Amino acid sequence: MAQRVRGVIAPGKNEPVRVETIIVPDPGPGEAVVKVQACGVCHTDLHYRQGGINDDFPFLLGHEAAGIVESVGEGVTEVAPGDFVVLNWRAVCGQCRACLRGRPWYCFNTHNAKQKMTLEDGTELSPALGIGAFADKTLVAAGQCTKVDPAAKPEVAGLLGCGVMAGIGAAINTGGVTRGDSVAVIGCGGVGGASIMGARLAGARRIIAVDIDQRKLDKALELGATHTVNSRETDAVEAVRELTEGNGADVVIEAVGRPETYEQAFYARDLAGTVVLVGVPTPEMKIELPLPEVFGRGGALKSSWYGDCLPSRDFPMLIDLYLQGRLDLGAFVTETIGIDGIEAAFEKMHHGDVLRSVVIL
């Protein structure tokens, strides 16, 4: 029987979100209903509310979540009722050309639940990133449920569902950071902070945090940065070069998503170094670089989407490291809030006052 639960809706472009009753159907074939325990407030949710993703309003916001599988539909074997899971927004198909070539983290045919959640009047909801987890319960594709150790706190585990995984993966999976490398991270919010943590986990020798907010730079030191650069006060490129024997960093991770910071990343890397773009640009943004510089510097210019992660591989591993005390995922949780506190959390995020506000359900 369909269930009526609370959910946070973005009704229209730039309109305040509101808590409404939503209808969650029973899971169909290949689907699961998850009782959400915690969900992080991510910039992507704000982008949805602002109309920056698409205009398929109303949206059911929330995607960075953990919870308990309540029920599953026909044919579901990977998870079962009672499993503690982190929700992911890349349920791989196993059949596309990327999956068949052994690169499922690039899956070109990821999928969501086929049924729609609705408002009480029957209006269909568009779940953020196919998840919609600012809700007591949500309907997802079973492949979007990644089983992890239930000893992890939900408010911590759920962060792997988006921002923290994107940052750690940008360093380890996309950037290929390894022992002895020098790494610069431009933009030290949640994703950039996770990139710093990922670089430390991978054994980077020097990790340079770059930001215009001294509060974020102070936090970056706690997360593993060895040096900081306040680019409001000094030239970021020159500062990174000075800290790397005049060479530039082996890997520069751009976690802002703006042309000016991408240009900084391009020039702050060493010859044959790697630039990783994990910050999300807006549709109108463009970058112009001298082609001889692109050619002459060699190396690689990469984009990192969801940290090039494979949830079934990466989520359980990172939760294990967290439980062993080797990965302080809890450092990203600035505050826990109720389901009615999301507008205020957006405001704090906009002003850089938090790494993550997490809704507890």
Side-chain angles (χ1 to χ4, degrees), residues 100-319:
L100 293 176
R101 292 167 70 186
R103 302 169 186 169
W105 49 91
Y106 294 140
C107 179
F108 301 137
N109 193 30
T110 58
H111 55 283
N112 305 319
K114 291 183 171 59
Q115 298 183 89
K116 289 287 189 178
M117 292 176 279
T118 69
L119 296 175
E120 287 190 291
D121 65 4
T123 301
E124 291 188 348
L125 296 169
S126 300
L129 292 176
I131 292 177
F134 288 151
D136 295 310
K137 297 178 183 180
T138 190
L139 176 76
V140 294
Q144 292 177 288
C145 300
T146 304
K147 187 177 177 179
V148 298
D149 193 324
K153 295 179 180 179
E155 62 269 29
V156 172
L159 300 184
L160 291 178
C162 190
V164 171
M165 185 69 254
I168 292 175
I172 296 176
N173 296 334
T174 313
V177 175
T178 189
R179 61 187 183 278
D181 279 350
S182 58
V183 178
V185 177
I186 300 177
C188 298
V191 174
S195 297
I196 289 168
M197 189 172 281
R200 180 177 66 175
L201 189 65
R205 176 174 60 93
R206 187 164 296 161
I207 305 170
I208 305 163
V210 181
D211 205 287
I212 60 174
D213 188 331
Q214 190 59 46
R215 296 172 301 172
K216 293 182 180 179
L217 293 173
D218 293 341
K219 186 65 175 181
L221 291 171
E222 297 176 20
L223 297 174
T226 60
H227 301 78
T228 63
V229 173
N230 189 323
S231 54
R232 190 186 296 277
E233 301 171 353
T234 188
D235 183 277
V237 175
E238 290 304 317
V240 170
R241 287 177 176 169
E242 288 176 11
L243 290 167
T244 53
E245 294 78 43
N247 299 317
D250 297 309
V251 180
V252 183
I253 299 169
E254 199 280 311
V256 182
R258 296 189 59 85
E260 55 268 38
T261 45
Y262 188 86
E263 186 172 337
Q264 288 176 338
F266 179 81
Y267 286 109
R269 67 180 176 134
D270 197 358
L271 294 174
T274 298
V275 172
V276 176
L277 174 64
V278 68
V280 181
T282 53
E284 76 282 359
M285 290 180 177
K286 296 181 179 180
I287 184 74
E288 183 174 322
L289 293 169
L291 197 56
E293 289 280 355
V294 176
F295 174 77
R297 286 175 170 269
L301 306 178
K302 297 183 174 184
S303 297
S304 183
W305 209 52
Y306 208 0
D308 288 337
C309 79
L310 183 61
S312 60
R313 174 195 67 194
D314 294 336
F315 288 9
M317 177 266 293
L318 293 172
I319 289 295

Side-chain angles (χ1 to χ4, degrees), residues 45-132:
D45 295 304
L46 181 57
H47 289 159
Y48 272 106
R49 196 205 69 173
Q50 294 170 333
I53 305 295
N54 58 54
D55 59 358
D56 294 334
F57 292 96
F59 292 109
L60 174 59
L61 299 182
H63 60 279
E64 201 174 69
I68 302 294
V69 175
E70 181 180 84
S71 58
V72 299
E74 180 184 347
V76 173
T77 58
E78 56 264 54
V79 291
D83 285 346
F84 178 60
V85 296
V86 175
L87 299 181
N88 74 78
W89 43 271
R90 286 188 60 75
V92 301
C93 72
Q95 299 297 322
C96 71
R97 59 190 185 280
C99 289
L100 293 176
R101 292 167 70 186
R103 302 169 186 169
W105 49 91
Y106 294 140
C107 179
F108 301 137
N109 193 30
T110 58
H111 55 283
N112 305 319
K114 291 183 171 59
Q115 298 183 89
K116 289 287 189 178
M117 292 176 279
T118 69
L119 296 175
E120 287 190 291
D121 65 4
T123 301
E124 291 188 348
L125 296 169
S126 300
L129 292 176
I131 292 177

